[in-house]
Amino acid sequence: MTRTPTGDLIRPNRKTNGVGVQAEDTRICVVMVGLPARGKSLIAQKVTRYLHWLSIPSKIFNVGQYRRSETPAPSASFFATSNPEGERLRRAAAEAAVNDMIKWFQRGAGLIAILDATNSTKERRRWIQNRCAAEGIQTMFVESKCDDPDLIMSNIREVKATSPDYKGQDPEVAAQDFLARIQNYEKVYETIDEDELDLTYVKLIDVGQRVIINQIKDYLQSRVVYYLMNLHIKPRSIWLSRHGESTFNLEGKIGGDADISERGEAYARSLPDLVRRCGDGRKLTVWTSTLKRTIQTARFLTFEKLEWKALDELDSGVCDGLTYADIEEQYPEDFKARDEDKYNYRYLGGESYRDVVIRLEPIIMELERSENILIVTHQAILRCIYAYFMNVAQEKSPWMEVPLHTLIKLTPKAYSTHEERLKADIPAVSTWRGKGSSAKHAEPTDEERNSMGKNVGSGH
């Protein structure tokens, strides 16, 4: 829910995607281009995840998945130019993917589709462009070019050797077969060049070391380009932690700029050891909000520290400093409305989760540019960042439990993000409240506040 300037509750316009773009006015097919093992599928997955996070409905149509329905585990010879049956089946798979994509657009299911395949010839790219143009669908080609043999081989071993095409095979044998597959594609591969200047395209060269942009035309295309220009696929991890338990946590209050409690202080002192246990000896940069409880929690870490206003907790407006019982009593309609649509509900004079996502976008871009970052921030902020990396649906993200005194390590992989959690042996109240639960049962009792176990409190 959001509010008018007079404070009246209104529902978001369901005809838009949350950023003011009318669904019926925008249909874009992002066409991946590149030799195998150049990170195309990784880029496609990342772009789709980013778009979902921004409330822009999108979907990947992977031609390889269509091909596997007929040829689940082909050898490299299937992709040879001298194999007409292989060529027929690959063409049929591409046609099936494009046909399903067009039907998806016709149903009004989304705004951006990503066609994930090599699309390695000018003839194939022109065919896709003509099919889309006939349906009123814009095309935007994204070519990933990379000649670094170490990066290519790393991608082969990490991704392709565990592909469904090589299920159950020896990884070394699979890698060699995939190298032979690449050689078959190289015989016919045509990079995007001056003959295709009428096309809208982005060329990412050597994992984004150079970016060439041509004929970008509208807002959503620009958003995709902005994201692509900030990507890198080098190995890295992101560490996430809430601040140590605060005095407001103990009192069941939300917002504010409280100090950490005695147990929060103990967590701050234990955090360097937690990081050492899962940090692999890497040099990290620590990001905190500008609020005291995050700065106090991070002060024993010996790494470089940066404070970000964008990492401050969700602004609870007139409810700042209140308990949920106070809110339920003083603003009963608001309390109910937030339970009904927590992602879109905006506190009077404050923010919604949707607002937080918008202000966190520069943080996400900086995270994509960076390598190893430790973020010490707040519950609502971590929910939004975690939802981005783990592709959590918007309606679920505000209800996720992100406990105090727990370090979360996220390691992005090609098709997913690996998660590890290390919990400090230091108790804290729980600030999680389930949907529909009464605020009266969300406040910690005196006994719970003094308990050394996991307790029940309240929070954003």
Side-chain angles (χ1 to χ4, degrees), residues 130-197:
N130 290 338
R131 282 293 311 275
C132 289
E135 299 292 336
I137 300 167
Q138 302 173 36
T139 49
M140 175 177 162
F141 296 84
V142 176
E143 181 178 14
S144 180
K145 293 194 66 179
C146 180
D147 297 319
D148 185 326
D150 292 334
L151 276 174
I152 294 169
M153 200 62 204
S154 174
N155 194 26
I156 290 172
R157 294 187 187 282
E158 180 184 345
V159 183
K160 300 306 180 183
T162 56
S163 160
D165 286 349
Y166 298 105
K167 186 175 181 180
Q169 294 190 27
D170 178 89
E172 289 301 321
V173 174
Q176 292 305 313
D177 182 84
F178 198 77
L179 279 171
R181 182 189 299 192
I182 293 172
Q183 291 169 358
N184 283 325
Y185 274 104
E186 287 175 335
K187 294 174 183 176
V188 297
Y189 185 76
E190 297 173 296
T191 188
I192 297 175
D193 60 19
E194 289 78 7
D195 294 340
E196 297 171 292
L197 287 177

Side-chain angles (χ1 to χ4, degrees), residues 283-288 301-306 373-374:
K283 181 180 179 181
L284 307 179
T285 301
V286 179
W287 296 355
T288 71
L301 295 164
T302 57
F303 307 111
E304 178 188 3
K305 300 180 184 71
L306 298 173
I373 302 294
L374 167 58

Side-chain angles (χ1 to χ4, degrees), residues 26-37:
T26 308
R27 298 191 299 176
I28 302 171
C29 174
V30 176
V31 185
M32 302 306 302
V33 177
L35 288 166

Side-chain angles (χ1 to χ4, degrees), residues 266-285:
Y267 177 69
R269 293 180 181 278
S270 73
L271 188 55
D273 183 59
L274 281 182
V275 173
R276 278 193 293 272
R277 283 162 53 189
C278 72
D280 307 324
R282 303 183 203 183
K283 181 180 179 181
L284 307 179
T285 301

Side-chain angles (χ1 to χ4, degrees), residues 1 310 312-317 338 342-357 359 381 460:
M1 295 272 190
D312 284 1
E313 179 61 299
L314 184 151
D315 184 350
S316 49
R338 193 163 192 256
K342 192 173 181 181
Y343 184 80
N344 288 297
Y345 172 82
R346 179 180 293 140
Y347 282 106
L348 181 59
E351 291 181 302
S352 66
Y353 271 83
R354 184 182 291 278
D355 295 328
V356 169
V357 163
R359 73 163 151 101
I381 307 305
H460 283 298

Side-chain angles (χ1 to χ4, degrees), residues 219-355:
Y219 170 77
L220 279 185
Q221 290 181 0
S222 298
R223 293 301 289 268
V224 173
V225 171
Y226 172 49
Y227 182 71
L228 291 172
M229 291 177 68
N230 287 284
L231 286 185
H232 77 73
I233 56 174
K234 296 177 183 177
R236 49 78 175 266
S237 292
I238 300 98
W239 287 261
L240 307 175
S241 175
R242 290 178 65 187
H243 54 78
E245 179 189 72
S246 74
T247 56
F248 262 32
N249 293 148
L250 288 172
E251 296 167 6
K253 296 178 179 180
I254 66 172
D257 192 14
D259 293 308
I260 55 177
S261 69
E262 289 185 11
R263 296 190 300 197
E265 174 73 12
Y267 177 69
R269 293 180 181 278
S270 73
L271 188 55
D273 183 59
L274 281 182
V275 173
R276 278 193 293 272
R277 283 162 53 189
C278 72
D280 307 324
R282 303 183 203 183
K283 181 180 179 181
L284 307 179
T285 301
V286 179
W287 296 355
T288 71
S289 76
T290 64
L291 300 177
K292 290 188 295 184
R293 53 193 183 274
T294 66
I295 297 168
Q296 290 169 359
T297 302
R299 74 186 189 278
F300 296 107
L301 295 164
T302 57
F303 307 111
E304 178 188 3
K305 300 180 184 71
L306 298 173
E307 296 177 17
W308 292 80
K309 182 68 176 173
L311 290 174
D312 284 1
E313 179 61 299
L314 184 151
D315 184 350
S316 49
V318 298
C319 296
D320 189 70
L322 300 181
T323 67
Y324 275 113
D326 294 334
I327 297 170
E328 188 175 26
E329 179 181 350
Q330 297 177 34
Y331 305 98
E333 292 185 7
D334 292 67
F335 187 85
K336 181 180 178 183
R338 193 163 192 256
D339 259 14
E340 290 176 351
D341 188 1
K342 192 173 181 181
Y343 184 80
N344 288 297
Y345 172 82
R346 179 180 293 140
Y347 282 106
L348 181 59
E351 291 181 302
S352 66
Y353 271 83
R354 184 182 291 278
D355 295 328

